[in-house]
Amino acid sequence: QVQLVESGGGLVQAGGSLRLSCAASGRGFSDYAMGWFRQAPGKEREFVAAINWSGSDTYYADSVRGRFTISRDNAKNMVYLQMDSLRPEDTAVYYCNAEVYYLRGQYHPSENWGQGTQVTVSS
C-alpha cells in the first residue's frame, strides 16, 4: 500500500488556476489507477478525475471536464491535478486516492486516502 500526501491548495480568485500534487511513497504506485476526489462543506465527497496506471487514459466528472487535467509521473511517484478557470463552486478539500476502480457507471475510491488539501475560490 502506498502513502499519499497532497499539496498545492490555497486561495485563488475565480478564473484563476492551481496545480495540486500528490506524492506517493511505498511499493506499487505505478500499478494503480489514481484519482482525485473533493468534499465541500456540508456535502458528500465526490469524484473529480481519475487516471489509469500508465497515464494513457483519463476520466473526469462532468463538472470539471475541460477545465481540470489529471496527469501522473510514475518515475517520480507523483499525480497532479491542474485546475484552470476555477469557480467558487470548486471550493472544497481535495483528496488523492490510490487504487480507484470503475463499477456500475462510476468511479469509486479505495480506502487509501491522503490527508487532503484545501482549495478556496473567491468570487
Side-chain angles (χ1 to χ4, degrees):
Q1 186 173 2
V2 297
Q3 291 74 48
L4 305 171
V5 178
E6 301 95 332
S7 61
L11 174 63
V12 64
Q13 289 189 331
S17 298
L18 282 174
R19 188 194 195 203
L20 305 184
S21 298
C22 174
S25 59
R27 294 185 176 185
F29 172 79
S30 60
D31 296 331
Y32 300 151
M34 299 293 296
W36 286 95
F37 293 76
R38 66 186 182 186
Q39 187 166 20
K43 295 187 177 181
E44 292 188 353
R45 197 171 299 188
E46 64 175 2
F47 169 76
V48 175
I51 189 167
N52 73 334
W53 67 273
S54 68
S56 61
D57 293 315
T58 56
Y59 314 88
Y60 299 94
D62 289 343
S63 58
V64 306
R65 187 176 292 113
R67 300 188 298 122
F68 290 10
T69 303
I70 188 170
S71 62
R72 67 190 295 163
D73 186 337
N74 285 346
K76 297 181 178 179
N77 280 15
M78 296 291 295
V79 179
Y80 306 99
L81 186 68
Q82 177 66 41
M83 305 186 296
D84 299 318
S85 302
L86 282 161
R87 304 167 180 169
E89 54 264 37
D90 294 318
T91 295
V93 178
Y94 283 71
Y95 297 90
C96 181
N97 187 269
E99 296 186 88
V100 300
Y101 60 98
Y102 186 78
L103 180 64
R104 295 173 184 166
Q106 55 185 330
Y107 281 89
H108 300 267
S110 72
E111 294 303 312
N112 195 352
W113 296 99
Q115 85 289 350
T117 186
Q118 176 70 48
V119 171
T120 303
V121 184
S122 62
S123 57

